[in-house]
């Protein structure tokens, strides 16, 4: 136990996390427990198969990955950093040049995990900062002008078609 406690003390943890590491013995097994802390931000985006006719009858082409922050950042998307991912596994890039960037555009409270955790809706960009071809939000932004903005448009999802 002493050796494991020493290992836990020397692990590279933030000051807040260092006090949350414990060692337990269950029979002959040793277990190191680290209490969760901070906030989980689930970055969510549509992958490269969304909207393609060749995908067939697969409806859910959403992807996500979780980033943990020491402190809650709030609900302002500008407070969340861009994050990269391997686009070759999502159909958004070739294997030899697969970096893609997630840029947060909207943050909402996570209804499953509860506070302080959040869902971060993202756009996909190429490494050079240009919108990725699968980024439909950027395409919409390019065609909306002042006349469209003056229309008081309402957008929504038809639940029976998306579930």
């Amino acid at each position: 136990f002493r050796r494991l406690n020493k290992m836990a003390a020397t692990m590279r943890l933030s000051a807040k996390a260092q006090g949350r590491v414990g060692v337990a013995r269950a029979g002959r097994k040793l277990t190191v427990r680290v209490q969760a802390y901070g906030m989980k931000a689930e970055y969510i985006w549509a992958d490269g198969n969304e909207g393609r006719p060749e995908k067939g009858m697969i409806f859910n082409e959403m992807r996500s990955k979780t980033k943990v922050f020491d402190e809650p950042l709030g609900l302002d998307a500008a407070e969340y950093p861009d994050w990269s991912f391997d686009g070759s596994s999502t159909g958004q890039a070739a294997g030899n040049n697969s970096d893609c960037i997630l840029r947060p555009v909207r943050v909402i409270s996570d209804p499953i995990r509860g506070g302080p955790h959040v869902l971060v809706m993202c756009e996909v960009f190429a490494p050079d900062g240009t919108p990725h071809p699968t980024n439909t939000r950027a395409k919409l932004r390019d065609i909306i002008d002042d006349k469209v903005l003056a229309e008081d448009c309402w957008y929504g999802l038809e639940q029976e078609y998306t579930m």
Side-chain angles (χ1 to χ4, degrees), residues 7-96:
M7 271 181 23
T10 59
M11 290 182 351
R12 294 178 186 211
L13 298 172
S14 71
K16 282 188 172 186
Q18 284 181 6
R20 300 175 188 209
V21 175
V23 179
R25 184 178 181 112
R28 299 186 67 172
K29 297 179 184 177
L30 291 175
T31 306
V32 176
R33 293 187 187 121
V34 178
Q35 182 180 339
Y37 68 99
M39 176 198 73
K40 292 179 183 175
E42 191 77 23
Y43 280 57
I44 302 170
W45 72 99
D47 75 7
N49 294 318
E50 191 62 38
R52 285 186 172 172
E54 61 269 13
K55 80 175 184 176
M57 294 301 291
I58 301 171
F59 292 106
N60 187 2
E61 300 299 339
M62 302 302 287
R63 301 291 180 133
S64 74
K65 62 189 230 176
T66 305
K67 189 174 189 95
V68 179
F69 294 94
D70 284 338
E71 300 289 333
L73 299 180
L75 297 177
D76 182 6
E79 297 294 320
Y80 290 81
D82 290 356
W83 198 11
S84 64
F85 72 97
D86 178 4
S88 67
S89 62
T90 63
Q92 291 172 294
N96 62 346

Side-chain angles (χ1 to χ4, degrees), residues 100-113:
C100 291
I101 308 296
L102 296 174
R103 183 158 300 146
V105 292
R106 177 94 166 124
V107 180
I108 59 171
S109 296
D110 188 332
I112 306 297
R113 292 183 180 127

